[in-house]
Amino acid sequence: MCSSCNGDAAPAANGQSNGIIVNGPTNGTANGTANGANDHTPHNPRQMPFSLPSDYLSNVSNFKIIESTLREGEQFANAFFDTETKIRIAKALDDFGVEYIELTSPASSEQSRLDCKRICSLGLKAKILTHVRCNMQDAKIAVETGVDGLDIVIGTSPQLMQHSHGKSVDYIRETALEVVQFVKSKGLEVRFSSEDSFRSDLVDLLNIYSAVDKIGVNRVGIADTIGVANPRQVYELIRTLRGCVRADIETHFHNDTGCAIANAYCALEAGATHVDTSVLGIGERNGITPLGGFVARMLVANRDYVRGKYDLTKLKAIEDLVADAVEVNIPFNNPVTGFCAFTHKAGIHAKAIIANPTTYEIINPADFGMTRYVHFTSRLTGWNAIKSRVNQLGLEMTDSQIKQCTTRIKAMADIRKLAIEDTDAIIHTFYENLYLGHGDEKPLLENVTPEERKKFAQKEAELSREPQSKELDEVVEHQTDLLATNGIDSSNGVKTLNGEVATVT
């Protein structure tokens, strides 16, 4: 096993139910470890089979995060962050390891100005930025708050020039030069960004970017303000810009058409250096590149680089904090922290995951302090998942007995939705019934309705008529007799009957 592939973080439950935690502590409950599970971490060799050749401009392994939950995130429909909430979020992001935290413009309101000053005084490791319009008055107010840098923005698309600020390209260029030079004179970082970049005229963009680059702007920004761009367009624009400026390139992608993470990744491949994110992707309309989804994507690209920079085990707590603040639930399919992120249900999947998690996981949940679950309470359940659960419950059954038990569970799951407690009850009762005389068997579940009991009896009758089921019943009866003769709790006896020790004669 590759020693560098093992996650260091202790697994922690992620709020999921109806499953087996495959890499948690064995304790006889739903939190037990599946015996025999291989915890080999999905890792990233230098050249994966599905990887494209490395691009010499690529910054996939050399990027910085500008975390904008306290700026872009404030524009989310449900967002209202009081000062203390902003401080908690800022500290959580700093502990996670983001390089920059971006705040709402101090010019937007008096409270925003006071909050900006307060966060600047916290002494965080992350640099504090604020996002301002491209005018001198906004810049002067921001400089006085103590921020480390200003992110200056103005619309450059025909739509925004006509219907938003009403200024010409020449005005934008001259004002940008004036404001950038002022911020630089104060010894602060400064970024100039166009707004609605992908609907802007390319010649206009390169004209403005080249001008601010010549006077030493730290970063130029590309913003897909309405989420119109696709990865190919992103790559072409960033690649073109990379050939025209020496400054770093910051990117800001909205998720209106679902491309934010893909666009951010593609921008880094083309030579961008900074990516704007927000926790859970919250922001204007559908928001921007989500922090969690972005780091998950980058972890697959370069696991050592991402784990070396960010404390991934803190992601779940940050998302819970922000979700609570804006009164939303974390989506079930949210990357990494969603209810279903590391849940495996289909029988074929379960068998492979128990044998080696890399078969159906490209991300190791342990990297994020999470755990994987093998779902074992549905009609899709496979006998390997039930075997894992039987071991967790401390019961000794042969593979043949487990297969027969699995058939009963699947039959019951065809009739009603099963909870963990239901499936455990079936397993326990099935085990007890193995060693009771015919006619003394207990019903597999007590809390079934007469109609459900009738349907289950019909299914059992159907099963008993199937040749494969009959053959399995005979094997189980023979093995049960052997175990009863030698002691029903005999581990060696079970192994022998499974063919793991010797063949029973």
Side-chain angles (χ1 to χ4, degrees), residues 149-462:
L150 272 64
D151 289 341
I152 299 166
V153 65
I154 190 168
T156 52
S157 67
Q159 293 88 341
L160 294 184
M161 287 194 289
Q162 180 179 352
H163 301 294
S164 180
H165 54 72
K167 307 299 183 183
S168 68
V169 171
D170 289 340
Y171 173 89
I172 293 171
R173 183 180 61 253
E174 296 308 315
T175 304
L177 290 171
E178 180 185 10
V179 177
V180 168
Q181 286 175 322
F182 167 73
V183 177
K184 282 178 60 66
S185 73
K186 300 298 182 179
L188 303 181
E189 284 192 24
V190 57
R191 177 217 71 188
F192 172 82
S193 179
S194 60
E195 187 181 16
D196 202 7
S197 307
F198 289 88
R199 293 195 298 176
S200 300
D201 182 85
L202 180 60
V203 174
D204 289 343
L205 285 180
L206 298 182
N207 183 316
I208 298 168
Y209 288 138
S210 295
V212 296
D213 186 53
K214 287 177 182 177
I215 63 171
V217 73
N218 295 91
R219 297 185 305 283
V220 292
I222 291 292
D224 184 19
T225 307
I226 62 170
V228 67
N230 64 49
R232 183 167 182 170
Q233 292 171 320
V234 169
Y235 188 90
E236 291 178 354
L237 180 54
I238 298 294
R239 187 69 177 264
T240 300
L241 181 58
R242 181 72 284 165
C244 297
V245 300
R246 295 167 298 175
D248 286 341
I249 300 175
E250 180 181 337
T251 56
H252 182 92
F253 297 105
H254 276 259
N255 204 35
D256 299 73
T257 58
C259 287
I261 295 174
N263 283 345
Y265 183 84
C266 203
L268 293 176
E269 284 189 312
T273 55
H274 295 65
V275 173
D276 293 0
T277 69
S278 71
V279 177
L280 297 175
I282 63 171
E284 192 77 21
R285 305 182 313 281
N286 283 349
I288 65 170
T289 308
L291 174 64
F294 175 69
V295 295
R297 173 61 260 179
M298 302 318 297
L299 183 73
V300 174
N302 192 324
R303 183 170 179 268
D304 291 340
Y305 179 75
V306 172
R307 292 185 73 214
K309 292 185 70 176
Y310 308 112
D311 188 347
L312 303 180
T313 64
K314 289 184 164 56
L315 178 64
K316 181 67 164 63
I318 296 171
E319 292 190 345
D320 286 342
L321 171 62
V322 173
D324 183 62
V326 298
E327 299 178 334
V328 299
N329 293 321
I330 294 175
F332 75 92
N333 60 345
N334 197 54
V336 179
T337 62
F339 180 84
C340 297
F342 298 107
T343 294
H344 305 273
K345 187 173 181 179
I348 295 174
H349 285 227
K351 177 182 179 181
I353 279 289
I354 291 169
N356 187 325
T358 65
T359 50
Y360 286 104
E361 286 178 0
I362 195 61
I363 295 171
N364 183 359
D367 283 341
F368 292 88
M370 309 294 287
T371 49
R372 66 180 59 87
Y373 288 75
V374 175
H375 198 289
F376 64 95
T377 65
S378 80
R379 66 181 66 176
L380 305 181
T381 295
W383 76 273
N384 287 280
I386 298 302
K387 181 176 183 177
S388 176
R389 187 58 176 166
V390 166
N391 291 335
Q392 288 179 10
L393 295 173
L395 303 178
E396 295 282 359
M397 280 198 258
T398 68
D399 289 350
S400 299
Q401 291 169 339
I402 291 169
K403 288 175 182 177
Q404 191 182 61
C405 181
T406 302
T407 301
R408 300 302 187 272
I409 291 170
K410 290 165 72 73
M412 186 64 77
D414 267 342
I415 297 169
R416 59 180 290 182
K417 182 177 180 179
L418 297 177
I420 288 177
E421 294 78 9
D422 295 328
T423 306
D424 285 351
I426 293 173
I427 293 171
H428 277 291
T429 305
F430 178 88
Y431 178 75
E432 292 174 16
N433 285 345
L434 287 172
Y435 303 101
L436 293 176
H438 292 295
D440 296 328
E441 295 95 338
K442 300 176 183 177
L444 292 179
L445 276 181
E446 296 291 345
N447 60 338
V448 294
T449 66
E451 181 64 23
E452 289 172 336
R453 190 174 290 110
K454 180 179 178 181
K455 289 181 179 179
F456 184 72
Q458 290 173 345
K459 284 192 171 291
E460 282 197 305
E462 292 170 3

Side-chain angles (χ1 to χ4, degrees), residues 48-87:
M48 299 182 79
F50 48 82
S51 294
L52 293 174
S54 178
D55 192 316
Y56 74 96
L57 289 178
S58 175
N59 284 313
V60 166
S61 298
N62 183 29
F63 62 87
K64 293 180 173 64
I65 293 174
I66 297 177
E67 226 301 316
S68 191
T69 301
L70 296 179
R71 198 280 297 178
E72 176 72 46
E74 273 212 291
Q75 298 171 209
F76 178 62
N78 274 14
F80 174 79
F81 300 141
D82 59 26
T83 303
E84 293 308 312
T85 299
K86 288 182 181 181
I87 289 173

